[in-house]
Amino acid sequence: MFVNYLKIGFRILYRQRSYSLLNIIGLAMGIAVFVFIFLYVQSELRYDKHWSGSENIYRITTDYRVSENSEQIALTPFLLAEKIQNNFPEEVEYSTKIFFSDPSDVNDMSSLIYNDEVYEVPDITIGDSNVFRVFDYYFVEGNKDLSLTKPNTMVISTQVAEMIFGDEMALGKKLKTHIREYTITGVFEKRCKPSHLSFDAIVSVNSLTEKNIELLNSDWFWMNCYTYVKLKPETNYHDFENALNDFSGREIKKFVEKAKININGYTDYSLEKISNVHFNKVLLYDNPGNTDKIYLIVFAIIAGFILLTASINYINLATARSLKRAKEIGVLKVLGAVRYQLSLQYISESLILTTLAFVIALSLVELLMPQFNHLVGKDLTLVGSLFSQGGIIFGSLLVLLIFVLSIISGIFPAFVLSYLKPVNVLKGNKMIVGKGGNQQYSAGRLRKFLVTIQYIVTIGMIISTIIIYQQMMFLKKHDLGFKPENVMVINLPQDTTFNDRASEFIYELSGEESVEQVTLAGNAPGYTAGKRMFFTDDSSKIMSLNYFMVGQNYFKLLEIPLVEGRFFPEFDAKDSTVYYIINQAAADTLKMDTLIGHSLKTTFGLDGKIIGVVRNFHFSSFYKNIEPLVIAFSGKRARYALVRVKGGQHDVALAHINNVWNKYNRNQYLHYTYLDEKLTSLYNSDYKMLSLFTYFSIFVIFISSLGLYGLSSFLIEQRTKELGIRKILGGTANNILLLLVKDYLKLVLLAGIIASPLVYILMSKWLSMFAISIEISTWYFVLGILSALIIAFTTVFIRVYKVINKRPSLALSYE
Amino acid sequence: MVITEGLTKVFKAEGVETIALRGVSLKVERGDFITVMGPSGCGKTTLLNLLGLIDEPSAGKYYFFGQDVYSMNERQKTELRKRNIGFVFQNFNLIDDLTVYENIELPLVYLGWKKKERKERVEEVVGNMKLSHKKRLFPAQLSGGQQQRVAVARAIIAKPPLILADEPTGNLDSIHGEEVMNILGNLNKEGTTIIMVTHSQSDAAFSRKIVHLFDGQIINENITKV
Ligand SMILES: Nc1ncnc2c1ncn2[C@@H]1O[C@H](COP(=O)(O)OP(=O)(O)OP(=O)(O)O)[C@@H](O)[C@H]1O
Ligand SMILES: [Mg+2]
């Protein structure tokens, strides 16, 4: 029996191909976008929730204040983890430390050599043997618990293993950096375990020299490690936090007395739930990949909305189509069909459509997954998500949706139509439109409400996208205070052998036509800057100021002009004076009558003299205002070499640089970045948002247009005859177009008015992240609403155009 | 006023061809009152639709005040129709979402009349058609006969020179039927040209000329009155 319904269903759908196609595509796209966003949000929410006992894992963060300066940082001293492990055996199961490795940069260990081949692994760090006890990654090879116990051992991710060893077993193989050799003791699977931990390779902490370890172990103020604790289930984390601070307070006091440090300040540790780390944006030295939860909420709302509109559209279109068959229903009823039989017919047609839409949607998701992953920087899989926590719910949700959609869109028309007396339907009386048009009025109100909601989101998305775009363009064009174009930043090895030859290296680099300027630099704009404590005359007024170390040519190369005083003098081995150049912001902070020549002292004994003031330049990102900066001269030690290349001669220059590099660093990977690209990459998450918003906007526009098209079809369907009569009575095409479009345009306008303040609030919040931002102009709103109006008008016009150019006789014979 | 030459209309529906009209040539003078009669399905409604520019013929010519109508574009046709022709449809074709008053008023809206003028004129006609107490109702709330009177009222509201009426008394009892015929007769006396389809001999008696259609052809033209 049901097979029969399906057979007839297929025939009808085939006969109304274009309708079926429109409806399937709309629904499929809606579902596909929903699935994408769902996968994204789900993976974000799963961050660090999947560890066994993750509810007992905490990260320890530091809140410290020195003099007037207080800062919250994600780092702790090296010694903390071990102190906790040894002093809190009752409360703590494990504690572990992972070295801070500047996530925005590569370090010396990043070049790994195997079989004389150099591989680059940017995200490599150092950790103790408890890392994998706390974070129970799945080990493909090796033993989790023993993996980092011995010196010179390394654990790598499966991706790194595949990159270097291919199909071969990695366990026991040796990887070299230019100074040391490591034995691989484990391979862990990183995929499907979203975490704020980003390392791809980790080296055992006892690979460090004993001298270094001793040094690190004696300093409470040297913040360089992330510390994690896994508390015993019975431990109250509040109590532990207090106990820890009591303990550390005593220890720090002892340390300060012993080291004779004269600082008035405090250090306070807090426990942060591991699953909250990914959503923390306030700490210094934290993972830049952390996101604000507000984005997830916005995305989730968009996803829900897209699915809702796609479903409403589907139902609207399905209903519009089935009303066309009112007469058929009338006849069927006269012939004795009862309501459930009618419903079954509609439901079976609907089931075919929704199932097809789902199949297409899931294929679309599977097909576009690589692009989507690239866009959001994840490695999601549909299957992976289905078989993960919550995957069952996700799967059932999809299946449930098929049925709910089928049943609603199947029952609704059958229900409404079959309530009509067959005689009325046969006579061609209109349905839905009740006596006096009252019912139609309320049904119309509901539809208007839905259209308005659709357009609130559509317009909201359009305006938001415009604003985000404008802001990003604004940042791109904003004057940095220096010239980053054609500047290469080369990472230099940090060993003494190279340091001794750094100036030679630089000198050789400059010996090429295509190379304009070269300088050594300890810091570059856009890279993490250090902070140091300074004071001028009064040692109790200590300030924490940003600190750069730069080489001779630095200001000339970046074209940063001097405002006052002079640049660093030529390097002179006999002159032991420390010279400082400060930026204007620092000059303002220091508030002194005569700056030049004044001494600037530090807590670590590098007292010097201010010799110049340079114009402010954006040395960090546009998220921050230009902060005070102290720049010291460094003739030898440097993290980077900056090279200004002649425009258009990058290839020649690079070849030359490679040659020189290989002469000095046989076994090191030449890691270089163009400074302008590096600066752009600071806003990766914003560009990501821009492209997501752009895509979402397109989808929302498409889906709401489809909805409007369906809705106008629905109404025109009902009003075809009326339109014919109006035409005969003298209504022109324009009259009729206006009649049909007017209502929608009013709704779109209303939606625009409702959307605008919401967008304003949301976008103001987003813009407030930046120290430098555009003014939200009324024009963006006008433009957004106008484009929505044009899109809506065009959509309805396409549909209406067919009708108004029909001969009236065709409309009249329409029943 | 109206001249047709060899009007032919062929319907094609689902592969079946129906020849509804075969070469109808008709000449209607200004002030004529013509009745078209014939058995069901002989093409009467089709003829009125062609005369009213609602449909296009398969072949033939049509001159309205000497203008070749079928060479006009849709906009010109609309313009000509709204200034010159009033319709009473066989199945009324009232707009369900508009009240009786609004239905009747509609042609004046499209002619661009002022609201006050429209109101006066509509009140006048509504009075004549004895619909005053129904004017706030919707078509679905009226009887068939009342709907037909609304259709007639709408056709005559703008005082068009030509009225096309498809069985204007088809749903009326004899008393109301006669009232409608009186109104049409009076309009005709005031100079309105009327072409009417009817099955009723007594209605036909109001007209000056009867055209008999059979199977899409004119078989006989009678002049009943002079
Ligand atoms: N839209 C159409 N498609 C196909 N055939 C049509 C169409 N309209 C009318 N016909 C056919 O044309 C012929 C004439 O129809 P028409 O409506 O003009 O008849 P009529 O004389 O008005 O009849 P009645 O007195 O019953 O109203 C009929 O055979 C009818 O089936
Ligand atoms: Mg007829």
Side-chain angles (χ1 to χ4, degrees):
Chain A
M1 184 64 181
F2 194 64
V3 177
N4 199 34
Y5 283 124
L6 285 181
K7 206 172 75 189
I8 297 174
F10 266 117
R11 194 185 302 152
I12 290 168
L13 293 176
Y14 180 73
R15 197 148 19 100
Q16 306 175 345
R17 284 184 293 280
S18 59
Y19 148 77
S20 305
L21 211 64
L22 197 69
N23 212 352
I24 290 176
I25 289 175
L27 187 59
M29 284 181 78
I31 294 168
V33 176
F34 174 77
V35 171
F36 272 131
I37 300 179
F38 184 94
L39 292 180
Y40 178 80
V41 172
Q42 186 203 31
S43 104
E44 285 284 305
L45 290 177
R46 281 182 62 226
Y47 260 72
D48 292 308
K49 279 210 181 104
H50 44 76
W51 310 114
S52 79
S54 78
E55 66 282 359
N56 297 320
I57 304 178
Y58 296 87
R59 181 173 74 172
I60 297 181
T61 63
T62 310
D63 196 345
Y64 75 86
R65 174 193 285 272
V66 179
S67 226
E68 302 294 295
N69 301 283
S70 93
E71 253 158 3
Q72 288 177 289
I73 62 174
L75 294 175
T76 52
F78 179 89
L79 50 77
L80 188 64
E82 211 167 299
K83 295 267 184 208
I84 291 174
Q85 188 78 51
N86 295 336
N87 291 286
F88 296 93
E90 303 287 308
E91 290 90 346
V92 174
E93 204 169 322
Y94 297 113
S95 77
T96 185
K97 60 176 164 290
I98 295 173
F99 256 78
F100 170 73
S101 75
D102 190 344
S104 66
D105 205 355
V106 296
N107 60 37
D108 256 17
M109 295 190 298
S110 300
S111 297
L112 296 175
I113 305 149
Y114 179 69
N115 275 350
D116 288 335
E117 189 87 49
V118 186
Y119 299 91
E120 191 185 27
V121 180
D123 226 324
I124 186 167
T125 186
I126 303 169
D128 66 22
S129 57
N130 275 346
V131 169
F132 294 108
R133 290 198 176 95
V134 176
F135 302 106
D136 60 337
Y137 278 114
Y138 173 70
F139 266 49
V140 181
E141 295 177 38
N143 180 320
K144 216 187 293 234
D145 292 340
L146 302 176
S147 58
L148 290 175
T149 48
K150 295 210 184 78
N152 300 326
T153 52
M154 184 193 280
V155 174
I156 56 177
S157 72
T158 47
Q159 283 106 317
V160 174
E162 274 158 33
M163 172 174 83
I164 301 178
F165 306 109
D167 295 337
E168 283 175 47
M169 182 107 167
L171 202 66
K173 295 238 163 58
K174 313 249 189 228
L175 283 177
K176 281 196 288 189
T177 66
H178 69 301
I179 44 171
R180 225 184 240 102
E181 191 174 70
Y182 298 97
T183 308
I184 302 216
T185 51
V187 177
F188 68 98
E189 178 56 84
K190 207 176 158 182
R191 280 171 284 213
C192 297
K193 292 253 182 192
S195 170
H196 76 286
L197 298 172
S198 54
F199 60 83
D200 278 306
I202 186 160
V203 165
S204 62
V205 77
N206 39 23
S207 313
L208 298 169
T209 60
E210 268 178 45
K211 210 182 117 212
N212 272 336
I213 295 181
E214 206 187 298
L215 217 62
L216 285 162
N217 260 332
S218 62
D219 197 335
W220 276 92
F221 289 152
W222 193 355
M223 308 289 184
N224 47 23
C225 282
Y226 298 105
T227 300
Y228 302 89
V229 290
K230 185 171 182 184
L231 300 182
K232 293 195 169 150
E234 62 272 17
T235 309
N236 177 299
Y237 95 92
H238 241 10
D239 295 344
F240 172 72
E241 201 176 65
N242 291 335
L244 175 63
N245 278 312
D246 284 348
F247 168 79
S248 65
R250 274 178 273 127
E251 292 281 311
I252 289 173
K253 207 170 158 207
K254 272 192 266 171
F255 164 70
V256 167
E257 277 163 15
K258 209 174 125 200
K260 300 198 174 64
I261 300 172
N262 180 22
I263 294 181
N264 79 68
Y266 72 88
T267 308
D268 205 9
Y269 297 116
S270 318
L271 261 58
E272 181 182 26
K273 231 174 158 15
I274 197 74
S275 55
N276 289 340
V277 171
H278 182 58
F279 302 107
N280 192 342
K281 292 288 279 179
V282 301
L283 301 179
L284 288 176
Y285 307 110
D286 208 346
N287 189 331
N290 289 359
T291 48
D292 203 320
K293 244 181 185 158
I294 183 94
Y295 292 140
L296 292 192
I297 294 168
V298 170
F299 287 161
I301 291 172
I302 293 175
F305 167 79
I306 285 179
L307 190 65
L308 185 74
T309 30
S311 306
I312 291 167
N313 287 348
Y314 175 82
I315 293 168
N316 264 346
L317 270 174
T319 323
R321 180 190 56 110
S322 52
L323 286 181
K324 230 173 159 176
R325 288 155 60 187
K327 205 156 188 170
E328 168 194 317
I329 292 181
V331 176
L332 288 175
K333 285 200 79 173
V334 173
L335 295 180
V338 285
R339 198 187 319 151
Y340 90 89
Q341 290 168 318
L342 294 175
S343 301
L344 265 181
Q345 182 58 53
Y346 281 114
I347 290 171
S348 53
E349 282 168 35
S350 211
L351 207 57
I352 296 171
L353 279 188
T354 43
T355 310
L356 272 175
F358 267 82
V359 171
I360 294 173
L362 294 186
S363 320
L364 220 62
V365 168
E366 203 50 51
L367 199 72
L368 296 176
M369 194 59 103
Q371 280 86 338
F372 183 73
N373 275 331
H374 181 73
L375 185 70
V376 298
K378 287 191 182 292
D379 47 13
L380 304 170
T381 57
L382 190 55
V383 179
S385 182
L386 278 174
F387 290 101
S388 70
Q389 286 169 312
I392 310 293
I393 302 173
F394 176 56
S396 340
L397 207 76
L398 289 184
V399 173
L400 190 73
L401 195 69
I402 296 188
F403 280 98
V404 169
L405 277 184
S406 307
I407 287 171
I408 292 179
S409 50
I411 279 186
F412 177 73
F415 193 77
V416 172
L417 295 179
S418 61
Y419 251 105
L420 297 162
K421 294 208 176 75
V423 55
N424 288 338
V425 181
L426 286 181
K427 267 167 73 184
N429 278 1
K430 278 195 272 169
M431 58 301 313
I432 308 291
V433 185
K435 290 228 165 172
N438 285 332
Q439 258 163 285
Q440 194 233 17
Y441 187 50
S442 61
R445 249 209 310 231
L446 177 69
R447 262 184 251 122
K448 281 178 181 169
F449 176 71
L450 293 175
V451 171
T452 312
I453 301 258
Q454 276 184 330
Y455 272 86
I456 288 174
V457 175
T458 308
I459 293 172
M461 292 296 298
I462 296 175
I463 300 172
S464 305
T465 309
I466 293 174
I467 292 174
I468 297 172
Y469 178 79
Q470 290 294 333
Q471 168 70 3
M472 296 321 286
M473 286 304 111
F474 178 73
L475 291 187
K476 209 169 215 170
K477 292 201 190 101
H478 195 82
D479 184 19
L480 288 157
F482 63 95
K483 297 258 159 53
E485 298 81 16
N486 299 322
V487 174
M488 281 168 83
V489 181
I490 299 171
N491 286 74
L492 300 179
Q494 293 300 294
D495 56 297
T496 40
T497 22
F498 179 83
N499 275 331
D500 291 341
R501 303 174 68 198
S503 333
E504 254 179 83
F505 171 71
I506 285 291
Y507 181 74
E508 248 187 85
L509 277 187
S510 62
E512 223 297 325
E513 186 89 24
S514 56
V515 174
E516 276 185 348
Q517 305 251 8
V518 184
T519 185
L520 288 173
N523 303 81
Y527 290 76
T528 315
K531 284 203 162 185
R532 293 280 162 95
M533 301 294 175
F534 290 97
F535 60 92
T536 48
D537 302 316
D538 182 357
S539 68
S540 68
K541 289 205 176 117
I542 295 179
M543 290 161 286
S544 162
L545 303 179
N546 293 287
Y547 181 70
F548 264 30
M549 305 248 287
V550 306
Q552 192 71 50
N553 248 339
Y554 196 82
F555 299 107
K556 223 201 267 171
L557 186 141
L558 290 177
E559 300 183 23
I560 300 167
L562 197 66
V563 187
E564 212 182 330
R566 60 192 169 97
F567 285 130
F568 293 121
E570 283 291 322
F571 180 66
D572 179 2
K574 276 175 276 168
D575 185 3
S576 60
T577 325
V578 177
Y579 296 116
Y580 289 121
I581 290 176
I582 59 175
N583 70 352
Q584 287 168 307
D588 294 341
T589 313
L590 293 175
K591 285 197 273 271
M592 285 186 303
D593 300 333
T594 47
L595 263 173
I596 304 299
H598 206 284
S599 64
L600 191 61
K601 294 171 190 148
T602 69
T603 52
F604 53 92
L606 266 181
D607 297 354
K609 227 169 72 176
I610 298 170
I611 56 164
V613 179
V614 287
R615 202 178 67 188
N616 277 342
F617 63 101
H618 284 275
F619 62 88
S620 82
S621 67
F622 289 129
Y623 295 124
K624 285 186 192 164
N625 279 312
I626 299 180
E627 293 178 349
L629 174 68
V630 176
I631 304 157
F633 178 72
S634 159
K636 257 169 72 177
R637 282 195 60 123
R639 279 176 66 82
Y640 313 106
L642 303 192
V643 181
R644 182 177 288 283
V645 176
K646 278 202 181 115
Q649 298 196 20
H650 293 198
D651 291 344
V652 188
L654 193 58
H656 167 69
I657 292 167
N658 242 317
N659 273 338
V660 180
W661 177 266
N662 285 332
K663 222 165 102 185
Y664 284 79
N665 307 288
R666 283 234 117 258
N667 293 323
Q668 281 277 71
Y669 201 92
L670 168 63
H671 186 95
Y672 67 92
T673 322
Y674 285 101
L675 188 54
D676 48 1
E677 284 171 15
K678 170 71 189 177
L679 293 170
T680 308
S681 76
L682 295 176
Y683 315 103
N684 271 348
S685 63
D686 300 301
Y687 280 111
K688 196 159 88 181
M689 192 161 98
L690 177 59
S691 40
L692 278 177
F693 264 68
T694 310
Y695 287 119
F696 287 165
S697 299
I698 293 170
F699 272 120
V700 170
I701 290 172
F702 179 82
I703 289 176
S704 56
S705 297
L706 200 67
L708 197 54
Y709 186 86
L711 199 55
S712 40
S713 299
F714 180 85
L715 292 182
I716 288 166
E717 206 70 31
Q718 286 199 327
R719 294 172 74 172
T720 304
K721 193 163 164 185
E722 175 195 332
L723 297 179
I725 299 167
R726 284 183 185 271
K727 235 185 132 176
I728 291 164
L729 296 179
T732 60
N734 286 343
N735 287 144
I736 290 169
L737 184 63
L738 194 70
L739 182 82
L740 291 170
V741 173
K742 192 177 61 185
D743 283 354
Y744 296 119
L745 297 190
K746 265 194 233 156
L747 294 183
V748 173
L749 212 59
L750 177 71
I753 290 165
I754 298 173
S756 296
L758 298 176
V759 170
Y760 186 86
I761 293 167
L762 207 71
M763 283 295 113
S764 301
K765 181 168 162 43
W766 180 70
L767 286 174
S768 70
M769 283 196 330
F770 297 93
I772 289 156
S773 66
I774 51 168
E775 291 286 320
I776 299 183
S777 143
T778 328
W779 280 110
Y780 304 149
F781 295 90
V782 174
L783 194 66
I785 294 173
L786 210 64
S787 44
L789 281 174
I790 291 170
I791 292 165
F793 179 83
T794 315
T795 309
V796 179
F797 182 76
I798 291 170
R799 187 63 187 80
V800 170
Y801 188 77
K802 286 199 244 168
V803 174
I804 52 184
N805 278 313
K806 242 190 207 170
R807 261 180 271 148
S809 65
L810 297 180
L812 286 189
S813 61
Y814 178 92
E815 213 82 72
Chain B
M1 165 179 209
V2 169
I3 298 173
T4 73
E5 284 170 8
L7 277 189
T8 298
K9 180 71 187 176
V10 183
F11 289 106
K12 288 195 193 82
E14 318 252 318
V16 183
E17 277 198 7
T18 313
I19 304 174
L21 287 180
R22 341 173 167 248
V24 172
S25 299
L26 195 65
K27 198 169 172 187
V28 181
E29 297 294 344
R30 190 188 278 248
D32 266 354
F33 192 152
I34 295 178
T35 301
V36 180
M37 297 187 84
S40 186
C42 70
K44 304 182 294 288
T45 299
T46 307
L47 178 62
L48 282 199
N49 280 351
L50 290 179
L51 292 176
L53 304 177
I54 294 172
D55 208 350
E56 281 170 21
S58 314
K61 290 220 175 277
Y62 179 15
Y63 298 96
F64 199 101
F65 285 128
Q67 282 175 288
D68 182 357
V69 174
Y70 292 134
S71 68
M72 291 179 176
N73 65 24
E74 200 56 43
R75 182 185 294 260
Q76 291 168 318
K77 278 192 224 170
T78 302
E79 198 56 28
L80 188 136
R81 195 164 50 216
K82 83 171 170 192
R83 306 222 171 272
N84 297 300
I85 306 175
F87 291 91
V88 185
F89 295 100
Q90 188 168 8
N91 50 0
F92 323 139
N93 281 337
L94 300 177
I95 295 176
D96 298 1
D97 304 331
L98 300 183
T99 60
V100 165
Y101 183 96
E102 288 161 347
N103 260 294
I104 296 172
E105 183 191 29
L106 201 55
L108 301 183
V109 174
Y110 286 135
L111 281 169
W113 284 37
K114 295 226 167 48
K115 190 167 172 120
K116 209 176 125 248
E117 294 167 356
R118 291 207 300 265
K119 190 169 155 59
E120 279 170 15
R121 175 67 183 147
V122 173
E123 292 296 351
E124 181 189 339
V125 173
V126 163
N128 287 345
M129 299 304 285
K130 303 202 164 50
L131 287 165
S132 299
H133 55 297
K134 301 280 182 196
K135 67 186 180 196
R136 301 270 164 253
L137 297 182
F138 288 91
Q141 294 163 304
L142 301 181
S143 73
Q146 288 160 343
Q147 289 186 31
Q148 188 141 39
R149 294 203 320 262
V150 176
V152 172
R154 190 177 64 183
I156 64 177
I157 188 84
K159 297 187 184 157
L162 175 63
I163 289 179
L164 302 174
D166 201 348
E167 301 194 33
T169 61
N171 288 282
L172 302 180
D173 59 47
S174 54
I175 297 172
H176 284 110
E178 201 162 315
E179 275 171 16
V180 167
M181 287 319 298
N182 278 328
I183 289 167
L184 289 179
N186 288 337
L187 284 171
N188 179 247
K189 281 196 192 105
E190 288 162 19
T192 309
T193 313
I194 295 174
I195 303 175
M196 172 181 81
V197 168
T198 187
H199 289 285
S200 148
Q201 284 296 342
S202 57
D203 287 354
F206 281 83
S207 64
R208 296 168 196 231
K209 187 170 164 184
I210 300 176
V211 172
H212 283 280
L213 266 185
F214 187 77
D215 200 12
Q217 283 173 300
I218 295 177
I219 48 163
N220 186 355
E221 287 182 54
N222 278 332
I223 295 175
T224 47
K225 276 189 207 164
V226 184

